[in-house]
Amino acid sequence: MFRINQKGGTMVEAIAVISIMTVLGISAIKLIGGLFDGFKQNIVTSEIRELQKNVSARYSVDGHYGNLGTVATLVEEKVVPNQMLANGKIYHRLGGEVLIEKSALSTLYYQITFKDLSPKACMNLSQINWMTHQGSDLIQLQINSTIFVLPIDGVKRGDSKALPLDVARAAQSCKVKGSNTIIWTFQ
């Protein structure tokens, strides 16, 4: 005998509901993970800007970039925020090591190196606009082994090695797989 008012569902319906809930759960986890990645990358952008500002302020007081390579000096002079320190080294929020040192180009320059950057972080950090009031303290940007410079000394605006960097040239320089290193050289 058949009942007209049956309650409940079949096994196929139950599997369909579980499948839909699983897909929605996985999507939510990916979305949340992507939001956290974006948040961390914004923090890393703030870190490089803060380091640049602090080292420049240090230069205006000391008049040189001596002892930039020693973490102890950078901590003592409050150039490096405490949250970037671990085990006597400097690290950015994405976990890679940070180096702050005099530049080999000139005693008037210094460089900040961020290591172990993901491809997405490499792309984002290489696109930072350093221009202020028609000028920039950034004189050179190195992504892995590719160097970009301000349009001076034989490099003209629009050249493949000229700053500022566009998305296409950044994409060519950042590794798609593996870690990336960016070196900013400032005056």
Side-chain angles (χ1 to χ4, degrees), residues 27-56:
S27 297
I29 289 170
K30 285 187 176 185
L31 176 66
I32 291 169
L35 291 174
F36 279 120
D37 269 356
F39 176 71
K40 284 182 181 178
Q41 288 184 34
N42 286 339
I43 289 174
V44 172
T45 301
S46 296
E47 288 173 344
I48 181 61
R49 287 188 178 277
E50 184 174 358
L51 290 172
Q52 187 269 335
K53 179 186 74 166
N54 291 348
V55 173
S56 292

Side-chain angles (χ1 to χ4, degrees), residues 62-76:
D62 289 347
H64 63 85
Y65 294 118
N67 295 330
L68 276 181
T70 62
V71 174
T73 302
L74 296 171
V75 171
E76 180 182 319

Side-chain angles (χ1 to χ4, degrees), residues 99-130:
L99 303 173
I100 304 171
E101 54 201 356
K102 293 184 289 186
S103 172
L105 299 175
S106 168
T107 58
L108 300 175
Y109 304 151
Y110 67 95
Q111 60 189 41
I112 301 174
T113 304
F114 275 35
K115 296 181 177 182
D116 299 324
L117 295 168
S118 69
K120 186 175 182 181
C122 180
M123 286 291 295
N124 289 341
L125 293 173
S126 67
Q127 298 296 298
I128 295 174
N129 183 2
W130 293 100

Side-chain angles (χ1 to χ4, degrees), residues 68-92:
L68 276 181
T70 62
V71 174
T73 302
L74 296 171
V75 171
E76 180 182 319
E77 295 178 359
K78 299 190 184 327
V79 172
V80 178
N82 287 333
Q83 66 268 21
M84 292 181 73
L85 299 170
N87 302 320
K89 291 186 178 183
I90 307 167
Y91 294 95
H92 56 75

Side-chain angles (χ1 to χ4, degrees), residues 9-27:
T10 66
M11 183 65 89
V12 172
E13 290 171 327
I15 291 173
V17 169
I18 291 171
S19 298
I20 290 170
M21 291 175 65
T22 302
V23 168
L24 291 174
I26 290 171
S27 297

